Amino acid sequence: MQEVKLQEELRPLVKSRQRVADHGEVFTPNWLVEDMLNMVEHETGRIDSRFLEPACGSGNFLVPILERKLHAVDKKYGRSPFERRHHALLGLMCIYGIELLPDNAAECRDNLVSTFTQALKLLVDDELIAAARVVVAANIVQGDALALTDGDGAAIVFPEWAYLGRGKYQRRDFRFDSLTQRSAAAGTLFERFEEHEIFTPVRNWPAMTLAQIAQGLQRG
């Protein structure tokens, strides 16, 4: 009986034994996720704090982080529908993931958008949902976090989003292998430099509105 109970408890943590054997795929249980996030509660409660999960699976960590960010949005901007919508999107913009398996990456994107949609009680034709899909398409990458490459073998590129206020966002794209050099610069003469002096974006986008971000999905 104890063995049967243990198997039932482990079932949500694996999709199949074959995937465990091939990829070591075992998902973190929800209670452990919450305990770990509580250890950095001061960051998960910040709307603009950035999180990267290098083996994000279907979003076991990223979805709870988004939920905490959206709770912070409601507390700070709940009385202003305009600011609530725009800061909620900013919270989503600050969540990043890399996932080796394509089906997990797609599921992670869907789970994030679904959580976002339900939390804000959005109608299906709301352009904010379209903008959210554009954001997660860029932020959640199917690729190899160790090789720093995407599913096509190209260098992973992540967007850095910022909210400029008054409904405008800024986007700059950086190569992930370049961003990882930030930690390597610690303790060297390079740490005296400003980031813009040693980290150069591969693309600068013009300031854009929520609607313009949403239209990117249609063009894509």
mmCIF file with all atom_site columns, all heavy atoms in Angstrom, residues 22-43:
data_model
loop_
_atom_site.group_PDB
_atom_site.id
_atom_site.type_symbol
_atom_site.label_atom_id
_atom_site.label_alt_id
_atom_site.label_comp_id
_atom_site.label_asym_id
_atom_site.label_entity_id
_atom_site.label_seq_id
_atom_site.pdbx_PDB_ins_code
_atom_site.Cartn_x
_atom_site.Cartn_y
_atom_site.Cartn_z
_atom_site.occupancy
_atom_site.B_iso_or_equiv
_atom_site.pdbx_formal_charge
_atom_site.auth_seq_id
_atom_site.auth_comp_id
_atom_site.auth_asym_id
_atom_site.auth_atom_id
_atom_site.pdbx_PDB_model_num
ATOM 1   N N   . ASP A 1 22 ? 15.590 9.351  -20.591 1.00 0.00 ? 22 ASP A N   1
ATOM 2   C CA  . ASP A 1 22 ? 16.241 10.056 -21.696 1.00 0.00 ? 22 ASP A CA  1
ATOM 3   C C   . ASP A 1 22 ? 16.744 11.442 -21.319 1.00 0.00 ? 22 ASP A C   1
ATOM 4   O O   . ASP A 1 22 ? 17.803 11.880 -21.785 1.00 0.00 ? 22 ASP A O   1
ATOM 5   C CB  . ASP A 1 22 ? 15.277 10.188 -22.879 1.00 0.00 ? 22 ASP A CB  1
ATOM 6   C CG  . ASP A 1 22 ? 14.968 8.849  -23.528 1.00 0.00 ? 22 ASP A CG  1
ATOM 7   O OD1 . ASP A 1 22 ? 15.711 7.874  -23.275 1.00 0.00 ? 22 ASP A OD1 1
ATOM 8   O OD2 . ASP A 1 22 ? 13.969 8.772  -24.276 1.00 0.00 ? 22 ASP A OD2 1
ATOM 9   N N   . HIS A 1 23 ? 15.962 12.141 -20.486 1.00 0.00 ? 23 HIS A N   1
ATOM 10  C CA  . HIS A 1 23 ? 16.270 13.553 -20.221 1.00 0.00 ? 23 HIS A CA  1
ATOM 11  C C   . HIS A 1 23 ? 16.388 13.903 -18.734 1.00 0.00 ? 23 HIS A C   1
ATOM 12  O O   . HIS A 1 23 ? 16.661 15.064 -18.404 1.00 0.00 ? 23 HIS A O   1
ATOM 13  C CB  . HIS A 1 23 ? 15.176 14.438 -20.842 1.00 0.00 ? 23 HIS A CB  1
ATOM 14  C CG  . HIS A 1 23 ? 14.936 14.176 -22.290 1.00 0.00 ? 23 HIS A CG  1
ATOM 15  N ND1 . HIS A 1 23 ? 15.844 14.507 -23.269 1.00 0.00 ? 23 HIS A ND1 1
ATOM 16  C CD2 . HIS A 1 23 ? 13.884 13.589 -22.941 1.00 0.00 ? 23 HIS A CD2 1
ATOM 17  C CE1 . HIS A 1 23 ? 15.369 14.155 -24.457 1.00 0.00 ? 23 HIS A CE1 1
ATOM 18  N NE2 . HIS A 1 23 ? 14.190 13.591 -24.286 1.00 0.00 ? 23 HIS A NE2 1
ATOM 19  N N   . GLY A 1 24 ? 16.178 12.930 -17.863 1.00 0.00 ? 24 GLY A N   1
ATOM 20  C CA  . GLY A 1 24 ? 16.208 13.230 -16.424 1.00 0.00 ? 24 GLY A CA  1
ATOM 21  C C   . GLY A 1 24 ? 15.095 14.167 -16.021 1.00 0.00 ? 24 GLY A C   1
ATOM 22  O O   . GLY A 1 24 ? 15.247 14.957 -15.086 1.00 0.00 ? 24 GLY A O   1
ATOM 23  N N   . GLU A 1 25 ? 13.964 14.064 -16.717 1.00 0.00 ? 25 GLU A N   1
ATOM 24  C CA  . GLU A 1 25 ? 12.862 15.005 -16.490 1.00 0.00 ? 25 GLU A CA  1
ATOM 25  C C   . GLU A 1 25 ? 12.039 14.607 -15.266 1.00 0.00 ? 25 GLU A C   1
ATOM 26  O O   . GLU A 1 25 ? 11.313 13.618 -15.279 1.00 0.00 ? 25 GLU A O   1
ATOM 27  C CB  . GLU A 1 25 ? 11.948 15.046 -17.720 1.00 0.00 ? 25 GLU A CB  1
ATOM 28  C CG  . GLU A 1 25 ? 10.772 16.002 -17.569 1.00 0.00 ? 25 GLU A CG  1
ATOM 29  C CD  . GLU A 1 25 ? 9.808  15.884 -18.734 1.00 0.00 ? 25 GLU A CD  1
ATOM 30  O OE1 . GLU A 1 25 ? 9.137  14.848 -18.848 1.00 0.00 ? 25 GLU A OE1 1
ATOM 31  O OE2 . GLU A 1 25 ? 9.742  16.835 -19.520 1.00 0.00 ? 25 GLU A OE2 1
ATOM 32  N N   . VAL A 1 26 ? 12.175 15.385 -14.207 1.00 0.00 ? 26 VAL A N   1
ATOM 33  C CA  . VAL A 1 26 ? 11.369 15.219 -13.000 1.00 0.00 ? 26 VAL A CA  1
ATOM 34  C C   . VAL A 1 26 ? 10.971 16.611 -12.530 1.00 0.00 ? 26 VAL A C   1
ATOM 35  O O   . VAL A 1 26 ? 11.833 17.468 -12.330 1.00 0.00 ? 26 VAL A O   1
ATOM 36  C CB  . VAL A 1 26 ? 12.139 14.494 -11.876 1.00 0.00 ? 26 VAL A CB  1
ATOM 37  C CG1 . VAL A 1 26 ? 11.264 14.365 -10.630 1.00 0.00 ? 26 VAL A CG1 1
ATOM 38  C CG2 . VAL A 1 26 ? 12.601 13.110 -12.341 1.00 0.00 ? 26 VAL A CG2 1
ATOM 39  N N   . PHE A 1 27 ? 9.682  16.865 -12.390 1.00 0.00 ? 27 PHE A N   1
ATOM 40  C CA  . PHE A 1 27 ? 9.195  18.192 -12.035 1.00 0.00 ? 27 PHE A CA  1
ATOM 41  C C   . PHE A 1 27 ? 9.231  18.404 -10.524 1.00 0.00 ? 27 PHE A C   1
ATOM 42  O O   . PHE A 1 27 ? 9.049  17.462 -9.740  1.00 0.00 ? 27 PHE A O   1
ATOM 43  C CB  . PHE A 1 27 ? 7.769  18.391 -12.562 1.00 0.00 ? 27 PHE A CB  1
ATOM 44  C CG  . PHE A 1 27 ? 7.677  18.325 -14.062 1.00 0.00 ? 27 PHE A CG  1
ATOM 45  C CD1 . PHE A 1 27 ? 7.174  17.197 -14.698 1.00 0.00 ? 27 PHE A CD1 1
ATOM 46  C CD2 . PHE A 1 27 ? 8.118  19.378 -14.838 1.00 0.00 ? 27 PHE A CD2 1
ATOM 47  C CE1 . PHE A 1 27 ? 7.102  17.126 -16.084 1.00 0.00 ? 27 PHE A CE1 1
ATOM 48  C CE2 . PHE A 1 27 ? 8.059  19.314 -16.224 1.00 0.00 ? 27 PHE A CE2 1
ATOM 49  C CZ  . PHE A 1 27 ? 7.546  18.189 -16.845 1.00 0.00 ? 27 PHE A CZ  1
ATOM 50  N N   . THR A 1 28 ? 9.471  19.637 -10.132 1.00 0.00 ? 28 THR A N   1
ATOM 51  C CA  . THR A 1 28 ? 9.524  19.996 -8.711  1.00 0.00 ? 28 THR A CA  1
ATOM 52  C C   . THR A 1 28 ? 8.111  20.079 -8.146  1.00 0.00 ? 28 THR A C   1
ATOM 53  O O   . THR A 1 28 ? 7.251  20.718 -8.743  1.00 0.00 ? 28 THR A O   1
ATOM 54  C CB  . THR A 1 28 ? 10.225 21.357 -8.531  1.00 0.00 ? 28 THR A CB  1
ATOM 55  O OG1 . THR A 1 28 ? 11.471 21.342 -9.222  1.00 0.00 ? 28 THR A OG1 1
ATOM 56  C CG2 . THR A 1 28 ? 10.462 21.656 -7.058  1.00 0.00 ? 28 THR A CG2 1
ATOM 57  N N   . PRO A 1 29 ? 7.845  19.439 -7.001  1.00 0.00 ? 29 PRO A N   1
ATOM 58  C CA  . PRO A 1 29 ? 6.497  19.501 -6.410  1.00 0.00 ? 29 PRO A CA  1
ATOM 59  C C   . PRO A 1 29 ? 6.129  20.919 -5.988  1.00 0.00 ? 29 PRO A C   1
ATOM 60  O O   . PRO A 1 29 ? 7.002  21.722 -5.635  1.00 0.00 ? 29 PRO A O   1
ATOM 61  C CB  . PRO A 1 29 ? 6.591  18.564 -5.211  1.00 0.00 ? 29 PRO A CB  1
ATOM 62  C CG  . PRO A 1 29 ? 8.048  18.476 -4.889  1.00 0.00 ? 29 PRO A CG  1
ATOM 63  C CD  . PRO A 1 29 ? 8.775  18.624 -6.201  1.00 0.00 ? 29 PRO A CD  1
ATOM 64  N N   . ASN A 1 30 ? 4.835  21.218 -6.016  1.00 0.00 ? 30 ASN A N   1
ATOM 65  C CA  . ASN A 1 30 ? 4.355  22.577 -5.744  1.00 0.00 ? 30 ASN A CA  1
ATOM 66  C C   . ASN A 1 30 ? 4.768  23.075 -4.365  1.00 0.00 ? 30 ASN A C   1
ATOM 67  O O   . ASN A 1 30 ? 5.139  24.250 -4.204  1.00 0.00 ? 30 ASN A O   1
ATOM 68  C CB  . ASN A 1 30 ? 2.833  22.631 -5.880  1.00 0.00 ? 30 ASN A CB  1
ATOM 69  C CG  . ASN A 1 30 ? 2.375  22.431 -7.309  1.00 0.00 ? 30 ASN A CG  1
ATOM 70  O OD1 . ASN A 1 30 ? 3.134  22.671 -8.247  1.00 0.00 ? 30 ASN A OD1 1
ATOM 71  N ND2 . ASN A 1 30 ? 1.145  21.981 -7.492  1.00 0.00 ? 30 ASN A ND2 1
ATOM 72  N N   . TRP A 1 31 ? 4.709  22.196 -3.361  1.00 0.00 ? 31 TRP A N   1
ATOM 73  C CA  . TRP A 1 31 ? 5.034  22.644 -1.998  1.00 0.00 ? 31 TRP A CA  1
ATOM 74  C C   . TRP A 1 31 ? 6.496  23.090 -1.902  1.00 0.00 ? 31 TRP A C   1
ATOM 75  O O   . TRP A 1 31 ? 6.822  24.053 -1.204  1.00 0.00 ? 31 TRP A O   1
ATOM 76  C CB  . TRP A 1 31 ? 4.746  21.540 -0.983  1.00 0.00 ? 31 TRP A CB  1
ATOM 77  C CG  . TRP A 1 31 ? 5.610  20.309 -1.117  1.00 0.00 ? 31 TRP A CG  1
ATOM 78  C CD1 . TRP A 1 31 ? 5.320  19.166 -1.804  1.00 0.00 ? 31 TRP A CD1 1
ATOM 79  C CD2 . TRP A 1 31 ? 6.916  20.116 -0.543  1.00 0.00 ? 31 TRP A CD2 1
ATOM 80  N NE1 . TRP A 1 31 ? 6.360  18.264 -1.706  1.00 0.00 ? 31 TRP A NE1 1
ATOM 81  C CE2 . TRP A 1 31 ? 7.349  18.811 -0.931  1.00 0.00 ? 31 TRP A CE2 1
ATOM 82  C CE3 . TRP A 1 31 ? 7.749  20.891 0.261   1.00 0.00 ? 31 TRP A CE3 1
ATOM 83  C CZ2 . TRP A 1 31 ? 8.575  18.284 -0.546  1.00 0.00 ? 31 TRP A CZ2 1
ATOM 84  C CZ3 . TRP A 1 31 ? 8.984  20.369 0.643   1.00 0.00 ? 31 TRP A CZ3 1
ATOM 85  C CH2 . TRP A 1 31 ? 9.385  19.078 0.247   1.00 0.00 ? 31 TRP A CH2 1
ATOM 86  N N   . LEU A 1 32 ? 7.381  22.390 -2.640  1.00 0.00 ? 32 LEU A N   1
ATOM 87  C CA  . LEU A 1 32 ? 8.793  22.751 -2.613  1.00 0.00 ? 32 LEU A CA  1
ATOM 88  C C   . LEU A 1 32 ? 9.030  24.052 -3.386  1.00 0.00 ? 32 LEU A C   1
ATOM 89  O O   . LEU A 1 32 ? 9.846  24.890 -2.976  1.00 0.00 ? 32 LEU A O   1
ATOM 90  C CB  . LEU A 1 32 ? 9.629  21.620 -3.200  1.00 0.00 ? 32 LEU A CB  1
ATOM 91  C CG  . LEU A 1 32 ? 11.152 21.810 -3.178  1.00 0.00 ? 32 LEU A CG  1
ATOM 92  C CD1 . LEU A 1 32 ? 11.643 22.120 -1.764  1.00 0.00 ? 32 LEU A CD1 1
ATOM 93  C CD2 . LEU A 1 32 ? 11.850 20.567 -3.729  1.00 0.00 ? 32 LEU A CD2 1
ATOM 94  N N   . VAL A 1 33 ? 8.309  24.215 -4.490  1.00 0.00 ? 33 VAL A N   1
ATOM 95  C CA  . VAL A 1 33 ? 8.396  25.464 -5.251  1.00 0.00 ? 33 VAL A CA  1
ATOM 96  C C   . VAL A 1 33 ? 8.036  26.650 -4.357  1.00 0.00 ? 33 VAL A C   1
ATOM 97  O O   . VAL A 1 33 ? 8.767  27.649 -4.299  1.00 0.00 ? 33 VAL A O   1
ATOM 98  C CB  . VAL A 1 33 ? 7.469  25.432 -6.481  1.00 0.00 ? 33 VAL A CB  1
ATOM 99  C CG1 . VAL A 1 33 ? 7.358  26.817 -7.112  1.00 0.00 ? 33 VAL A CG1 1
ATOM 100 C CG2 . VAL A 1 33 ? 7.967  24.420 -7.506  1.00 0.00 ? 33 VAL A CG2 1
ATOM 101 N N   . GLU A 1 34 ? 6.916  26.539 -3.646  1.00 0.00 ? 34 GLU A N   1
ATOM 102 C CA  . GLU A 1 34 ? 6.468  27.640 -2.795  1.00 0.00 ? 34 GLU A CA  1
ATOM 103 C C   . GLU A 1 34 ? 7.469  27.919 -1.678  1.00 0.00 ? 34 GLU A C   1
ATOM 104 O O   . GLU A 1 34 ? 7.749  29.080 -1.353  1.00 0.00 ? 34 GLU A O   1
ATOM 105 C CB  . GLU A 1 34 ? 5.096  27.331 -2.204  1.00 0.00 ? 34 GLU A CB  1
ATOM 106 C CG  . GLU A 1 34 ? 3.972  27.253 -3.236  1.00 0.00 ? 34 GLU A CG  1
ATOM 107 C CD  . GLU A 1 34 ? 3.747  28.557 -3.981  1.00 0.00 ? 34 GLU A CD  1
ATOM 108 O OE1 . GLU A 1 34 ? 4.087  29.625 -3.424  1.00 0.00 ? 34 GLU A OE1 1
ATOM 109 O OE2 . GLU A 1 34 ? 3.242  28.521 -5.117  1.00 0.00 ? 34 GLU A OE2 1
ATOM 110 N N   . ASP A 1 35 ? 8.032  26.874 -1.090  1.00 0.00 ? 35 ASP A N   1
ATOM 111 C CA  . ASP A 1 35 ? 9.026  27.060 -0.029  1.00 0.00 ? 35 ASP A CA  1
ATOM 112 C C   . ASP A 1 35 ? 10.260 27.786 -0.561  1.00 0.00 ? 35 ASP A C   1
ATOM 113 O O   . ASP A 1 35 ? 10.821 28.675 0.107   1.00 0.00 ? 35 ASP A O   1
ATOM 114 C CB  . ASP A 1 35 ? 9.434  25.715 0.561   1.00 0.00 ? 35 ASP A CB  1
ATOM 115 C CG  . ASP A 1 35 ? 8.404  25.157 1.526   1.00 0.00 ? 35 ASP A CG  1
ATOM 116 O OD1 . ASP A 1 35 ? 7.441  25.880 1.852   1.00 0.00 ? 35 ASP A OD1 1
ATOM 117 O OD2 . ASP A 1 35 ? 8.567  23.996 1.961   1.00 0.00 ? 35 ASP A OD2 1
ATOM 118 N N   . MET A 1 36 ? 10.683 27.415 -1.748  1.00 0.00 ? 36 MET A N   1
ATOM 119 C CA  . MET A 1 36 ? 11.870 28.047 -2.333  1.00 0.00 ? 36 MET A CA  1
ATOM 120 C C   . MET A 1 36 ? 11.596 29.505 -2.693  1.00 0.00 ? 36 MET A C   1
ATOM 121 O O   . MET A 1 36 ? 12.445 30.383 -2.467  1.00 0.00 ? 36 MET A O   1
ATOM 122 C CB  . MET A 1 36 ? 12.326 27.254 -3.555  1.00 0.00 ? 36 MET A CB  1
ATOM 123 C CG  . MET A 1 36 ? 12.827 25.853 -3.232  1.00 0.00 ? 36 MET A CG  1
ATOM 124 S SD  . MET A 1 36 ? 13.219 24.856 -4.686  1.00 0.00 ? 36 MET A SD  1
ATOM 125 C CE  . MET A 1 36 ? 14.670 25.702 -5.308  1.00 0.00 ? 36 MET A CE  1
ATOM 126 N N   . LEU A 1 37 ? 10.413 29.769 -3.226  1.00 0.00 ? 37 LEU A N   1
ATOM 127 C CA  . LEU A 1 37 ? 10.075 31.149 -3.587  1.00 0.00 ? 37 LEU A CA  1
ATOM 128 C C   . LEU A 1 37 ? 9.912  32.022 -2.351  1.00 0.00 ? 37 LEU A C   1
ATOM 129 O O   . LEU A 1 37 ? 10.193 33.226 -2.389  1.00 0.00 ? 37 LEU A O   1
ATOM 130 C CB  . LEU A 1 37 ? 8.806  31.186 -4.439  1.00 0.00 ? 37 LEU A CB  1
ATOM 131 C CG  . LEU A 1 37 ? 8.908  30.532 -5.814  1.00 0.00 ? 37 LEU A CG  1
ATOM 132 C CD1 . LEU A 1 37 ? 7.594  30.684 -6.581  1.00 0.00 ? 37 LEU A CD1 1
ATOM 133 C CD2 . LEU A 1 37 ? 10.063 31.112 -6.625  1.00 0.00 ? 37 LEU A CD2 1
ATOM 134 N N   . ASN A 1 38 ? 9.466  31.435 -1.259  1.00 0.00 ? 38 ASN A N   1
ATOM 135 C CA  . ASN A 1 38 ? 9.336  32.189 -0.011  1.00 0.00 ? 38 ASN A CA  1
ATOM 136 C C   . ASN A 1 38 ? 10.691 32.677 0.494   1.00 0.00 ? 38 ASN A C   1
ATOM 137 O O   . ASN A 1 38 ? 10.766 33.679 1.213   1.00 0.00 ? 38 ASN A O   1
ATOM 138 C CB  . ASN A 1 38 ? 8.660  31.339 1.066   1.00 0.00 ? 38 ASN A CB  1
ATOM 139 C CG  . ASN A 1 38 ? 7.166  31.168 0.829   1.00 0.00 ? 38 ASN A CG  1
ATOM 140 O OD1 . ASN A 1 38 ? 6.557  31.962 0.110   1.00 0.00 ? 38 ASN A OD1 1
ATOM 141 N ND2 . ASN A 1 38 ? 6.590  30.148 1.416   1.00 0.00 ? 38 ASN A ND2 1
ATOM 142 N N   . MET A 1 39 ? 11.734 31.975 0.106   1.00 0.00 ? 39 MET A N   1
ATOM 143 C CA  . MET A 1 39 ? 13.082 32.371 0.534   1.00 0.00 ? 39 MET A CA  1
ATOM 144 C C   . MET A 1 39 ? 13.542 33.650 -0.169  1.00 0.00 ? 39 MET A C   1
ATOM 145 O O   . MET A 1 39 ? 14.460 34.313 0.301   1.00 0.00 ? 39 MET A O   1
ATOM 146 C CB  . MET A 1 39 ? 14.070 31.229 0.269   1.00 0.00 ? 39 MET A CB  1
ATOM 147 C CG  . MET A 1 39 ? 13.776 29.964 1.066   1.00 0.00 ? 39 MET A CG  1
ATOM 148 S SD  . MET A 1 39 ? 14.889 28.594 0.644   1.00 0.00 ? 39 MET A SD  1
ATOM 149 C CE  . MET A 1 39 ? 16.458 29.222 1.235   1.00 0.00 ? 39 MET A CE  1
ATOM 150 N N   . VAL A 1 40 ? 12.928 33.963 -1.302  1.00 0.00 ? 40 VAL A N   1
ATOM 151 C CA  . VAL A 1 40 ? 13.259 35.203 -2.023  1.00 0.00 ? 40 VAL A CA  1
ATOM 152 C C   . VAL A 1 40 ? 11.985 36.025 -2.214  1.00 0.00 ? 40 VAL A C   1
ATOM 153 O O   . VAL A 1 40 ? 11.768 36.634 -3.260  1.00 0.00 ? 40 VAL A O   1
ATOM 154 C CB  . VAL A 1 40 ? 13.929 34.900 -3.380  1.00 0.00 ? 40 VAL A CB  1
ATOM 155 C CG1 . VAL A 1 40 ? 15.328 34.378 -3.187  1.00 0.00 ? 40 VAL A CG1 1
ATOM 156 C CG2 . VAL A 1 40 ? 13.095 33.915 -4.193  1.00 0.00 ? 40 VAL A CG2 1
ATOM 157 N N   . GLU A 1 41 ? 11.169 36.049 -1.185  1.00 0.00 ? 41 GLU A N   1
ATOM 158 C CA  . GLU A 1 41 ? 9.864  36.710 -1.269  1.00 0.00 ? 41 GLU A CA  1
ATOM 159 C C   . GLU A 1 41 ? 9.990  38.189 -1.610  1.00 0.00 ? 41 GLU A C   1
ATOM 160 O O   . GLU A 1 41 ? 9.130  38.761 -2.283  1.00 0.00 ? 41 GLU A O   1
ATOM 161 C CB  . GLU A 1 41 ? 9.121  36.529 0.049   1.00 0.00 ? 41 GLU A CB  1
ATOM 162 C CG  . GLU A 1 41 ? 7.672  36.965 0.016   1.00 0.00 ? 41 GLU A CG  1
ATOM 163 C CD  . GLU A 1 41 ? 6.936  36.584 1.284   1.00 0.00 ? 41 GLU A CD  1
ATOM 164 O OE1 . GLU A 1 41 ? 7.568  36.078 2.223   1.00 0.00 ? 41 GLU A OE1 1
ATOM 165 O OE2 . GLU A 1 41 ? 5.716  36.810 1.342   1.00 0.00 ? 41 GLU A OE2 1
ATOM 166 N N   . HIS A 1 42 ? 11.065 38.824 -1.133  1.00 0.00 ? 42 HIS A N   1
ATOM 167 C CA  . HIS A 1 42 ? 11.251 40.251 -1.421  1.00 0.00 ? 42 HIS A CA  1
ATOM 168 C C   . HIS A 1 42 ? 11.450 40.497 -2.911  1.00 0.00 ? 42 HIS A C   1
ATOM 169 O O   . HIS A 1 42 ? 11.159 41.591 -3.407  1.00 0.00 ? 42 HIS A O   1
ATOM 170 C CB  . HIS A 1 42 ? 12.454 40.795 -0.643  1.00 0.00 ? 42 HIS A CB  1
ATOM 171 C CG  . HIS A 1 42 ? 13.743 40.098 -0.946  1.00 0.00 ? 42 HIS A CG  1
ATOM 172 N ND1 . HIS A 1 42 ? 13.979 38.796 -0.573  1.00 0.00 ? 42 HIS A ND1 1
ATOM 173 C CD2 . HIS A 1 42 ? 14.862 40.519 -1.600  1.00 0.00 ? 42 HIS A CD2 1
ATOM 174 C CE1 . HIS A 1 42 ? 15.194 38.440 -0.971  1.00 0.00 ? 42 HIS A CE1 1
ATOM 175 N NE2 . HIS A 1 42 ? 15.742 39.458 -1.599  1.00 0.00 ? 42 HIS A NE2 1
ATOM 176 N N   . GLU A 1 43 ? 11.928 39.477 -3.643  1.00 0.00 ? 43 GLU A N   1
ATOM 177 C CA  . GLU A 1 43 ? 12.102 39.620 -5.096  1.00 0.00 ? 43 GLU A CA  1
ATOM 178 C C   . GLU A 1 43 ? 10.851 39.181 -5.854  1.00 0.00 ? 43 GLU A C   1
ATOM 179 O O   . GLU A 1 43 ? 10.474 39.820 -6.841  1.00 0.00 ? 43 GLU A O   1
ATOM 180 C CB  . GLU A 1 43 ? 13.310 38.799 -5.565  1.00 0.00 ? 43 GLU A CB  1
ATOM 181 C CG  . GLU A 1 43 ? 14.647 39.358 -5.104  1.00 0.00 ? 43 GLU A CG  1
ATOM 182 C CD  . GLU A 1 43 ? 14.933 40.726 -5.689  1.00 0.00 ? 43 GLU A CD  1
ATOM 183 O OE1 . GLU A 1 43 ? 14.472 41.008 -6.803  1.00 0.00 ? 43 GLU A OE1 1
ATOM 184 O OE2 . GLU A 1 43 ? 15.614 41.530 -5.014  1.00 0.00 ? 43 GLU A OE2 1
#
